[in-house]
Amino acid sequence: MTYPISFVSLGPGEPELITVKGLRQLQTADIIYCPATRNRQGESISRAADIVRALEISETAIRCFMLPMSKDRTEAWKAYDALYNEAESNYAEGKQIVIVAEGDAGFYSSIQYIYDKFTAAGIAVQRIAGIPAFIAAGALAGLHIVKQEEQIVVIPGTPSADELSEKINAGYVIVIMKLSQCVEAVHECIRKHPQTQFHYFENVGTEKEYYTSDKKIIADKIYPYFSLMIIQ
Amino acid sequence: MTYPISFVSLGPGEPELITVKGLRQLQTADIIYCPATRNRQGESISRAADIVRALEISETAIRCFMLPMSKDRTEAWKAYDALYNEAESNYAEGKQIVIVAEGDAGFYSSIQYIYDKFTAAGIAVQRIAGIPAFIAAGALAGLHIVKQEEQIVVIPGTPSADELSEKINAGYVIVIMKLSQCVEAVHECIRKHPQTQFHYFENVGTEKEYYTSDKKIIADKIYPYFSLMIIQ
């Protein structure tokens, strides 16, 4: 007897924002693979494993795998290949395997690379949806993120000020992820678009979560890695 | 003692795709307000109430309210005002009140109008995020919805073929909701963009859910109300 490999989306970080369906998968899993990175001191840290632990899942099921963070994806792919091989051999032994991802596993998540490898090998997989960070951010601030005939565009951190300005002028609601990569562009747009609302979020779904729409504060802030913005 | 009014997002329709946090709110609620509409035979139907029932929540807590579906929002606003007044008076009596929405309550959901009324009246509210339909659709089909530096735009059903074509050429990943409102535009784009993938979904999260990326089938289909498309 084999079980499909289950890809469970953990949501934005607050443990209870996982779905009931996702939690059930974690509770019955033999092995839960959690992506981890190394901090500057060389210690392994895994936000994903912390979420799983907070859901009172047995520690013995958790296995962290190192995921190198770099624009060059070569090292990440090696890590995914190694994980694939290990998971595949445990799958063949009849173990119930879960691989987790923060946010949603199909929305800017490279974990999908492993999913595709299993699919290509003819091994049954299932994916369980999760809450993207921008949806949790909207709930935190009580924003009507997007309504009626409005269109929303999600941008992963690389827009120039001109590109952003163009999208604001075109009437889009805009979500910027990885905000720390486009600080200057955001500052310029705040000056250029006094009628527009800028909603700034950091560490949504964690104890350090923070929200402001005060333009002066936003202009003076240093944006950490887990920051995003909703422009309306 | 009063409890904040809780706005709980139910997700795309599959009951277990609610969050653990949302479920907990439903389980402790005294009253759960569920939007309902009338079908052609004049019967009240509520997908939201069906989801709540499937989660084994006590029937006595469920109260449906009629929500007129029409482009002219006047009637809907009257219904929201009536619901606000009723909920407010139950809130003042110390009842734990939940108001539910399908999908996410801040993502193309007009339930936010009631949330804003409570906020304006200085009454404590909280909103609990849910899975938008397009995220659940991606999970169903195993799609890498959007990756790396890609940008995604969500359009609620009104694009012309030219507008769609322009966005495809600009390299956006595109989500079209309310697909039944732009059938011809979609057909034209399928003919014009042979290199592009069109992923068609209907009734995601229900027993009738259906997915295909076969262009011939998509071109011949009649799109029901709950259909959406992801273009990559």
Side-chain angles (χ1 to χ4, degrees), chain B residues 70-116:
Chain B
S70 139
K71 284 251 173 191
D72 173 10
R73 303 304 292 156
T74 320
E75 289 303 311
W77 284 335
K78 278 187 203 160
Y80 287 142
D81 284 344
L83 173 61
Y84 170 83
N85 290 332
E86 185 183 327
E88 199 279 336
S89 100
N90 283 311
Y91 161 83
E93 288 172 12
K95 297 274 202 308
Q96 265 186 277
I97 313 268
V98 168
I99 300 171
V100 300
E102 292 173 61
D104 176 70
F107 195 72
Y108 295 110
S109 171
S110 49
I111 213 91
Q112 184 68 14
Y113 173 73
I114 310 176
Y115 179 102
D116 292 339

Side-chain angles (χ1 to χ4, degrees), chain A residues 14 16 21 24 127 143, chain B residues 14 16 21 24 127:
Chain A
E14 187 177 342
E16 291 208 328
K21 193 175 187 181
R24 206 177 289 266
R127 210 170 85 202
L143 298 183
Chain B
E14 188 177 341
E16 293 209 326
K21 192 175 187 179
R24 205 177 291 268
R127 210 171 85 203

Side-chain angles (χ1 to χ4, degrees), chain A residues 122-150:
Chain A
I123 292 172
V125 286
Q126 62 171 331
R127 210 170 85 202
I128 296 173
I131 310 253
F134 82 91
I135 292 288
L140 169 65
L143 298 183
H144 207 165
I145 304 174
V146 65
K147 57 178 172 287
Q148 305 284 342
E149 317 278 283
E150 288 174 352

Side-chain angles (χ1 to χ4, degrees), chain B residues 7-93:
Chain B
F7 287 74
V8 172
S9 308
L10 298 175
E14 188 177 341
E16 293 209 326
L17 284 180
I18 193 174
T19 61
V20 171
K21 192 175 187 179
L23 177 59
R24 205 177 291 268
Q25 288 296 319
L26 295 179
Q27 285 167 336
T28 59
D30 296 307
I31 301 172
I32 302 167
Y33 290 107
C34 299
T37 50
R38 288 202 189 283
N39 66 11
R40 286 182 197 164
Q41 290 75 43
E43 298 156 340
S44 162
I45 46 170
S46 170
R47 274 169 52 107
D50 290 343
I51 295 168
V52 173
R53 283 188 193 106
L55 292 165
E56 297 179 5
I57 303 298
S58 162
E59 181 70 33
T60 56
I62 298 173
R63 299 209 193 154
C64 288
F65 65 96
M66 281 300 146
L67 192 56
M69 296 294 267
S70 139
K71 284 251 173 191
D72 173 10
R73 303 304 292 156
T74 320
E75 289 303 311
W77 284 335
K78 278 187 203 160
Y80 287 142
D81 284 344
L83 173 61
Y84 170 83
N85 290 332
E86 185 183 327
E88 199 279 336
S89 100
N90 283 311
Y91 161 83
E93 288 172 12

Side-chain angles (χ1 to χ4, degrees), chain B residues 23-225:
Chain B
L23 177 59
R24 205 177 291 268
Q25 288 296 319
L26 295 179
Q27 285 167 336
T28 59
D30 296 307
I31 301 172
I32 302 167
Y33 290 107
C34 299
T37 50
R38 288 202 189 283
N39 66 11
R40 286 182 197 164
Q41 290 75 43
E43 298 156 340
S44 162
I45 46 170
S46 170
R47 274 169 52 107
D50 290 343
I51 295 168
V52 173
R53 283 188 193 106
L55 292 165
E56 297 179 5
I57 303 298
S58 162
E59 181 70 33
T60 56
I62 298 173
R63 299 209 193 154
C64 288
F65 65 96
M66 281 300 146
L67 192 56
M69 296 294 267
S70 139
K71 284 251 173 191
D72 173 10
R73 303 304 292 156
T74 320
E75 289 303 311
W77 284 335
K78 278 187 203 160
Y80 287 142
D81 284 344
L83 173 61
Y84 170 83
N85 290 332
E86 185 183 327
E88 199 279 336
S89 100
N90 283 311
Y91 161 83
E93 288 172 12
K95 297 274 202 308
Q96 265 186 277
I97 313 268
V98 168
I99 300 171
V100 300
E102 292 173 61
D104 176 70
F107 195 72
Y108 295 110
S109 171
S110 49
I111 213 91
Q112 184 68 14
Y113 173 73
I114 310 176
Y115 179 102
D116 292 339
K117 275 195 80 138
F118 280 112
T119 308
I123 292 172
V125 286
Q126 63 171 331
R127 210 171 85 203
I128 296 172
I131 310 254
F134 82 90
I135 292 287
L140 169 65
L143 297 184
H144 207 164
I145 304 173
V146 63
K147 56 179 174 287
Q148 304 284 345
E149 317 278 284
E150 288 175 353
Q151 300 188 7
I152 180 167
V153 61
V154 184
I155 308 177
T158 50
S160 65
D162 284 349
E163 185 185 345
L164 265 186
S165 242
E166 211 175 276
K167 286 183 162 69
I168 293 170
N169 291 334
Y172 284 110
V173 173
I174 304 166
V175 174
I176 310 175
M177 294 160 62
K178 299 188 186 173
L179 199 63
S180 58
Q181 294 178 14
C182 57
V183 179
E184 282 312 314
V186 167
H187 287 176
E188 192 174 327
C189 280
I190 290 176
R191 289 191 297 270
K192 266 194 189 162
H193 299 272
Q195 303 307 317
T196 303
Q197 287 184 293
F198 294 81
H199 300 277
Y200 170 87
F201 300 88
E202 60 187 48
N203 297 309
V204 169
T206 74
E207 283 170 14
K208 292 184 291 175
E209 72 184 5
Y210 174 80
Y211 159 64
T212 186
S213 61
D214 182 318
K215 287 181 183 176
K216 250 185 93 84
I217 296 175
I218 296 172
D220 290 340
K221 268 204 102 14
I222 289 167
Y223 304 160
Y225 184 78

Side-chain angles (χ1 to χ4, degrees), chain A residues 83-103:
Chain A
L83 173 61
Y84 170 83
N85 290 332
E86 185 183 327
E88 199 279 334
S89 98
N90 282 311
Y91 161 83
E93 287 172 12
K95 297 274 202 307
Q96 264 186 278
I97 311 268
V98 168
I99 299 172
V100 300
E102 293 173 58

